[in-house]
Amino acid sequence: MNIEATLQQHISKAIETLYGTAVEAESIKLETTKQDFEGDYTFVVFPYLRASKKNPEQTANDIGNYLKDTCDDVADYNVVKGFLNLVVAENYWVNTFYNHIAPNKEFGKTTTGQGHKVMVEYSSPNTNKPLHLGHVRNNLLGFSLSQILEFNSYEVVKANLINDRGIHICKSMLAWQKFGNGETPESSGLKGDHLVGKYYVEFDKHNKEQIKELIAKGITEEEAAKNTPLLKEAQEMLLKWEAGDEEVKNLWQTMNGWVYAGFDATYKRLGVSFDKFYYESQTYLLGKEIVQEGLDKKVFYREEDSSVWIDLTDENLDKKLLLRRDGTSVYMTQDLGTADKKFEEYGCDKSVYVVGNEQEYHFKVLFSILKKMGKSYADGLYHLSYGMVDLPEGKMKSREGTVVDADDLMDEMHNTARELTLELGKIDGFNEVEQVELFETLGLGALKYFLLRVDPMKRLVFNPKESIDFAGNTGPFIQYTHARINSLLKNVSESGFETGTAAPHTVLPHERDIIVWLTKFPKTVEDAGREYNPAIIANYTYELAKLYNRFYRESPVNKEPDENLKAFRVILTQTTGQVLNKSLALLGIKAPERM
RNA sequence: GGACUCGUGGCUUAAUGGAUAUAGCACCUGACUACGGAUCAGGAGGUUGGGGGUUCGAAUCCCUCCGGGUCCA
């Protein structure tokens, strides 16, 4: 049993014995003691004064005394106002460390998700342009969350719903047809997604000229924007696509193929992956059956003009259109159908959508509709919302060319890592291939950690030139700590030292700090899973790395003459390395063996 | 018009309603004959956007106003 549960039970018993009031052990709240006070856990007695009928100090002292007498794990206590600080016996920590943490290769793994299946949908790009910084945040969150859920024993299906149809794709196609001269990724040397994105920009450029021409003829700007020859042609192309026109479909398939090849490369470099791809071209007609189902269940209603709606005003949401009067569906209809299809195919009892916060309203409505329809999976739906990523100059806008391209960004991170590493002269003994690999690991580690450590809900200002630092609370700091641990362990094993002789003994305060922090790992992982928040793991990992660095400075391992103590420190180092490695993996960050 | 969300030292950031608000960057002072200094020890820097309220206790909950962002019709 873990220490928190033990303390809860004893406190519950103390209150019952001392004051005759029964309190459920699980309802007792424990907090970790603040840094400046002595102790490991703090019990706040204010809520129990009614039971004790004594002042806070007395109550805390009573309970503290009782615990010290009856609970072997409580070594001491102190009272500050209504705060009862409990000092857990060093023996407990050392024994827990030797018996449960160190020997457990899967330390931190929880069983919370056993028997549950969860789908995590993330990335969801459009096929008319390459991935940008916003997608990067999305991909990292989605992938990290999947890793965390898996470590909590969920069966995870990573899904990507690709928006591969619509007017925007037709714009790229049309511009390529008109101005492309048969250019291909091979002939141009451009990555497929960048090539297609180039023609999307090209479309916009020519379209703008046409708007100007129309305005010059005296048409209002608003009207002109809707009526350029190019736009009309793109709309016709979309109609042809919907009608199954062979030529259009062929071009569409070719260009999407280029884009997918490009996306694959970007995903691979980012280190994210998917188990299932959905394509909007195959899902955009879904949902019409659901409309009928909703009408039958009287959840939806039909207006006089034969359009179909749902009234959600009772939930502080509006009325929402589900089927236009001409019988065509809207985004919501399609998402309803897709949700059903996903459930039919995989039977997940949980489903997470990683989508930007501008769609919060959409998902509230979507989930609310599914609940009203009594779908069995409705309660497990969750929108992992995250803030937009902005640039110092303001919002990213693809038309104005102010987006940060994902591939360019990764290049930049790689180069920054190289410059810094060379400056520090850290590459002795690395051949060229290893060097390149290291720069990549560090650059991407910095990027991933930077984007994941911030609460997803908060919007992020990304300054490509300055915002990524390799010192302090950063990925490379943690990677460095891991590499140093590895190197230390290597030295130890080369010297032929065996750790088998370790036995319990006293530990130094900072060694104790590490052990205490290690015991919090499972709880942290679980919290991150429940809150859908990789930032919790990121902050945990940083704290652990910091504690280890302090330990490292103050407790020499190789120079330790006492064999037993040395063995302890080696095991502590090994264990810390394992946990660092694991928590970095949960974030999708590589832990380099050396650097 | 209605709804959502964010606001914490110069910048970035943490805090299941709990104590003197957590860290990092930058700044200042110290520690390299080193188990890897991409490190460590220490210092300075705050009326948690403003004002009310609930509470023994509020960055956190409620109301209101201000500011940034977003969505719906």
Side-chain angles (χ1 to χ4, degrees), chain A residues 117-128:
Chain A
K117 202 166 175 182
V118 52
M119 177 173 280
V120 180
E121 181 194 302
Y122 69 101
S123 203
S124 312
N126 294 351
T127 56
N128 64 320

Side-chain angles (χ1 to χ4, degrees), chain A residues 419-532:
Chain A
E419 280 162 29
L420 203 75
T421 305
L422 292 177
E423 207 175 288
L424 289 163
K426 286 252 170 198
I427 45 161
D428 290 348
F430 280 77
N431 66 38
E432 204 152 314
V433 176
E434 290 167 338
Q435 281 184 31
V436 170
E437 197 183 315
L438 175 67
F439 304 148
E440 185 76 0
T441 303
L442 288 174
L444 282 179
L447 175 66
K448 290 177 183 181
Y449 187 82
F450 183 86
L451 292 177
L452 286 175
R453 64 178 254 261
V454 181
D455 190 318
M457 275 309 287
K458 291 195 178 180
R459 67 184 277 205
L460 202 62
V461 178
F462 187 88
N463 185 332
K465 290 181 190 113
E466 298 165 19
S467 66
I468 303 239
D469 203 328
F470 285 77
N473 188 357
T474 63
F477 171 82
I478 301 165
Q479 290 174 317
Y480 175 71
T481 306
H482 184 268
R484 193 158 64 174
I485 285 173
N486 248 37
S487 145
L488 174 58
L489 292 173
K490 200 173 150 214
N491 287 343
V492 169
S493 86
E494 277 170 4
S495 73
F497 182 77
E498 297 283 345
T499 55
T501 55
H505 48 80
T506 35
V507 296
L508 297 174
H510 51 269
E511 295 166 349
R512 189 189 141 114
D513 286 347
I514 293 184
I515 296 175
V516 173
W517 192 250
L518 284 172
T519 63
K520 296 186 193 303
F521 184 52
K523 198 166 178 293
T524 305
V525 173
E526 200 166 0
D527 277 355
R530 194 184 302 136
E531 310 272 335
Y532 301 100

Side-chain angles (χ1 to χ4, degrees), chain A residues 3 8 26 33 77 87 103 148 173 275 374 394 466 502 554 572 582 585:
Chain A
I3 187 68
Q8 282 173 326
E26 283 169 17
T33 303
Y77 73 95
V87 181
I148 292 167
M173 286 158 60
D275 306 308
E466 298 165 19
E554 293 174 16
L572 188 61
K582 188 66 215 178

Side-chain angles (χ1 to χ4, degrees), chain A residues 397-408:
Chain A
K397 285 185 182 147
S398 54
R399 287 183 192 168
E400 292 168 22
T402 55
V403 287
V404 176
D405 177 81
D407 296 317
D408 294 349

Side-chain angles (χ1 to χ4, degrees), chain A residues 8-76:
Chain A
Q8 282 173 326
Q9 278 191 1
H10 279 85
I11 292 170
S12 157
K13 212 170 166 192
I15 294 172
E16 191 170 351
T17 312
L18 295 168
Y19 311 124
T21 307
V23 178
E24 251 185 76
E26 283 169 17
S27 71
I28 288 179
K29 289 181 181 173
L30 286 170
E31 302 168 38
T32 47
T33 303
K34 294 259 174 192
Q35 270 182 348
D36 298 340
F37 299 90
E38 195 198 342
D40 298 300
Y41 288 95
T42 297
F43 174 60
V44 183
V45 302
F46 287 111
Y48 301 94
L49 295 183
R50 197 169 296 170
S52 76
K53 300 196 179 76
K54 290 183 180 177
N55 71 37
E57 282 86 347
Q58 273 178 322
T59 309
N61 271 302
D62 287 351
I63 298 172
N65 233 325
Y66 183 93
L67 291 178
K68 198 177 169 183
D69 288 347
T70 62
C71 180
D72 292 341
D73 293 331
V74 176
D76 205 356

Side-chain angles (χ1 to χ4, degrees), chain A residues 122-123 131-133 135-140 143 263-274 406-407 409-410 440 444 447-448 451 587-590:
Chain A
Y122 69 101
S123 203
L131 302 177
H132 58 68
L133 183 50
H135 292 115
V136 175
R137 189 177 199 186
N138 181 307
N139 286 328
L140 296 178
F143 183 75
F263 284 174
D264 277 351
T266 306
Y267 286 143
K268 200 170 172 203
R269 192 172 178 192
L270 258 181
V272 305
S273 58
F274 303 92
D407 296 317
L409 176 62
M410 287 189 277
E440 185 76 0
L444 282 179
L447 175 66
K448 290 177 183 181
L451 292 177
L587 298 170
I589 296 173
K590 272 190 197 160

